Amino acid sequence: MSLDETISARTTRFVESTLTADATAVQAHLTSQRVAVTLDPAVGTTFAGQMILFTLLNLLVRLELYAPQLEVTLPEVERHSLLRLLDSGPFPRALERFFAPFPAARRLRISTTPVESDAPTLRLVVSPQPMAADALSVWADGWVSYLNAEAPFRVEDANSVGACVAADFAAAEVFKRLIAGLPLRPGLKVLPIDRLMFSAYDYQLSPGPNPPLPTAIDVDGVVVVGLGGIGAGFVTAASALPGLAGLLTLVDKDPLDQTNLNRLLYARPGDTGFKVHLSRRALSFHAEVDARVEWFDEFTAARGSQHDLVVVGVDKDPVRRAIQHSMPRLIFNGGTSDTASFQLTRHDYLHGACLACIATEEVDDYPVERELARQLGLDLDTVLQYLKSGEPLPVTLLRERGILTEVDIERLGDSPLAEIQARVCAQLPLGTEKQKEAVSISFLSALPGFLLLGEVIKERSYPGVPRTPLNETANHLLLSLLGRPSQALLGDWWQKAPGCDCLRPAYQRNYQRKWGKA
Ligand SMILES: [Zn+2]
């Protein structure tokens, strides 16, 4: 297999689970298209301008066999000092050097003058000002991303979470527009975004509070488990923070595999070694990074389980349950689905679902039915009973459990459970289907990673300010990258699952004793 085929292997799985067209036909369709990307010279020296452009290219070049021709025009400026993954010196040269090892760099043209030729398929400008009607504009102001919307411009602003999130939405938008017209798998829909404002601070679709980052983010006692696609998003955004303070621990026993390169934003062809070591290299501006080449159980055996904040980027539910059972004070968890959506969840054990409540895959019995029960707020026995009888599930029962909205209750209730199951699965495809190889595409796994870093920053940086979601009243976020962000799904509440240990007073008291809560 050639290098570009190896790097594209997981992206091919994504394409096959999304589109019905043959993968090679999709490649031919995408690689023949031209995307012109311009960094507005007025913001060419700014952190936001450079970080958005770099991250956007970092996401698009990794599409490899599915990457369009990228014609980048940017001013001759120095690389911003916080873009530490790039060499210092002239920014255009630094970008060229970073991407040179990728086969798709053949279709990447970086220049200070625009291409003189016919109109490209798509124009994208990195600018706070929407430019032409036919171009897509992208910007970030602090925590807030803007697509095709006029944005405020603060030159001193350096928030890598906002910039990375904006770049991610833009990369997804490029992909969506380039696959427009290709036939999709049944039940999937691609919805282009005409205009978007998205705050990574409070998950509102409008700009609200937008506090500046402190000069050093407190990461003391933070443990990141899993440095795959999601963990890579976390590390890559963290590599451009103004500063870190305290001991950050990274736990993953996997070495880099070339098929990871489609989503490990900190790694490039030619890199070898363990993911935690490559991650530590990306964070080398901070001395206190403990890179542990261990599985999670080996890590707790060696270092105990007194961990204040655990960030979970693993894709295996048994590991998620083991992490919850180690009883950290707080867990932030990210997970992607096979159909371009992802969820972020927060777990403090006492409020709402714990991580074991929602990580039910590979529990020996009835994984699918357990998931359905969880989504409807029912217990497993009730679900099994109604599936067996085929009787319609009464709306009164759903209303009694109180986890669905009235709209969903009206829509789903009084139907046989098998029918409800089909609808719920089509709508929230974070399901339980097992895959031999994870489905992934660069911008899908990166976004939850960027947002998980945002959660850590919010948790640690703004004492005395009410905590914005994810918090004790909104513990779940769901976002589809082929669709559009929906406000109702950005701050949802998941209750504890019937039968989970976290409902038992003795377990709750253990947690309270461990973390000194009344
Ligand atoms: Zn639980």
Side-chain angles (χ1 to χ4, degrees):
M1 228 193 249
S2 62
L3 179 60
D4 47 2
E5 284 173 329
T6 309
I7 297 176
S8 302
R10 299 298 178 83
T11 310
T12 294
R13 296 262 302 112
F14 174 88
V15 165
E16 286 170 348
S17 71
T18 310
L19 300 167
T20 53
D22 175 63
T24 47
V26 177
Q27 290 165 13
H29 176 81
L30 290 174
T31 53
S32 67
Q33 304 196 56
R34 291 166 44 220
V35 178
V37 182
T38 307
L39 174 60
D40 179 355
V43 296
T45 58
T46 62
F47 172 80
Q50 292 194 12
M51 191 65 189
I52 292 171
L53 178 64
F54 169 46
T55 308
L56 175 71
L57 297 177
N58 204 2
L59 294 164
L60 292 177
V61 166
R62 286 169 202 273
L63 297 177
E64 277 295 352
L65 291 171
Y66 303 89
Q69 298 172 49
L70 294 162
E71 300 168 357
V72 182
T73 309
L74 75 172
E76 186 69 38
V77 288
E78 290 294 295
R79 182 215 64 165
H80 192 281
S81 60
L82 292 178
L83 273 69
R84 300 183 183 95
L85 294 183
L86 298 178
D87 294 343
S88 56
F91 185 44
R93 299 298 85 68
L95 287 172
E96 271 173 359
R97 275 200 296 278
F98 184 86
F99 293 112
F102 289 92
R106 287 193 303 264
R107 295 197 300 284
L108 172 66
R109 173 194 181 273
I110 294 176
S111 174
T112 53
T113 51
V115 175
E116 303 269 344
S117 71
D118 313 341
T121 318
L122 180 62
R123 279 181 206 283
L124 192 148
V125 288
V126 179
S127 172
Q129 289 284 334
M131 297 222 170
D134 64 336
L136 185 67
S137 74
V138 53
W139 192 247
D141 174 56
W143 290 93
V144 187
S145 304
Y146 293 81
L147 284 190
N148 284 354
E150 190 148 334
F153 173 52
R154 294 181 294 162
V155 76
E156 76 283 5
D157 186 56
N159 183 322
S160 63
V161 175
C164 288
V165 169
D168 199 285
F169 277 117
E173 208 51 34
V174 167
F175 185 78
K176 278 153 64 176
R177 290 176 190 221
L178 296 183
I179 63 166
L182 295 177
L184 297 165
R185 294 263 167 218
L188 282 182
K189 239 189 200 162
V190 173
L191 302 171
I193 295 174
D194 297 323
R195 189 167 180 274
L196 176 74
M197 286 177 271
F198 173 89
S199 168
Y201 182 70
D202 58 11
Y203 301 136
Q204 296 295 303
L205 297 175
S206 55
N210 195 358
L213 297 191
T215 48
I217 305 298
D218 172 15
V219 290
D220 201 43
V222 174
V223 178
V224 180
V225 184
L227 277 303
I230 293 176
F234 183 99
V235 164
T236 303
S239 77
L241 284 172
L244 298 174
L247 179 66
L248 174 66
T249 304
L250 309 174
V251 181
D252 194 319
K253 203 173 182 173
D254 262 340
L256 176 73
D257 173 315
Q258 300 297 301
T259 64
N260 302 145
L261 290 172
N262 78 325
R263 60 195 184 285
L264 260 57
L265 302 184
Y266 55 72
R268 295 181 294 161
D271 284 338
T272 54
F274 289 98
K275 291 175 184 172
V276 285
H277 291 154
L278 293 162
S279 300
R280 185 176 57 191
R281 182 186 70 180
L283 299 172
S284 59
F285 68 99
H286 182 61
E288 291 177 84
V289 177
D290 187 10
R292 317 281 307 185
V293 183
E294 291 166 335
W295 299 127
F296 182 73
D297 56 342
E298 296 169 324
F299 167 66
T300 50
R303 301 301 297 263
S305 59
Q306 197 70 23
H307 304 296
D308 185 69
L309 207 171
V310 176
V311 175
V312 183
V314 294
D315 58 1
K316 292 188 176 65
D317 274 1
V319 184
R320 288 197 177 99
R321 292 195 295 274
I323 291 169
Q324 180 62 77
H325 292 151
S326 79
M327 289 270 197
R329 185 183 66 82
L330 189 58
I331 298 173
F332 293 120
N333 162 65
T336 57
S337 80
D338 287 356
T339 49
S341 61
F342 70 86
Q343 60 174 354
L344 277 199
T345 56
R346 173 199 188 272
H347 312 275
D348 66 13
Y349 204 69
L350 301 178
H351 300 85
C354 79
L355 185 56
C357 286
I358 70 160
T360 52
E361 264 179 59
E362 297 172 53
V363 171
D364 335 79
D365 56 334
Y366 303 111
V368 175
E369 292 76 2
R370 276 182 197 279
E371 172 70 5
L372 182 63
R374 187 190 59 66
Q375 292 189 357
L376 299 175
L378 303 171
D379 57 47
L380 179 64
D381 287 343
T382 306
V383 163
L384 292 175
Q385 181 201 322
Y386 277 92
L387 278 174
K388 196 169 166 212
S389 72
E391 292 287 322
L393 186 74
V395 285
T396 47
L397 197 59
L398 290 174
R399 208 166 272 142
E400 215 170 89
R401 301 305 309 210
I403 80 153
L404 296 184
T405 62
E406 194 54 34
V407 174
D408 281 331
I409 292 169
E410 291 288 343
R411 198 168 54 86
L412 298 171
D414 286 329
S415 310
L417 199 50
E419 210 177 304
I420 296 176
Q421 185 173 16
R423 282 187 227 161
V424 170
C425 291
Q427 188 199 10
L428 293 172
L430 290 166
T432 54
E433 192 188 328
K434 291 188 189 72
Q435 296 287 350
K436 45 188 190 318
E437 278 184 328
V439 165
S440 73
I441 192 162
S442 58
F443 52 80
L444 172 60
S445 51
L447 189 48
F450 300 150
L451 295 176
L452 285 170
L453 176 65
E455 288 302 317
V456 170
I457 296 173
K458 290 186 273 177
E459 185 65 27
R460 292 294 183 82
S461 303
Y462 306 113
V465 174
R467 175 69 159 90
T468 52
L470 302 173
N471 56 24
E472 290 184 0
T473 55
N475 60 2
H476 186 268
L477 170 152
L478 178 79
L479 206 155
S480 162
L481 280 167
L482 291 180
R484 302 180 186 128
S486 149
Q487 188 70 69
L489 298 175
L490 292 174
D492 208 353
W493 181 245
W494 279 10
Q495 298 196 30
K496 292 182 179 306
C500 186
D501 285 344
C502 69
L503 279 163
R504 293 158 69 174
Y507 282 72
Q508 297 189 0
R509 279 197 301 275
N510 276 346
Y511 172 89
Q512 285 164 322
R513 264 200 301 274
K514 179 172 179 179
W515 295 108
K517 293 192 174 185

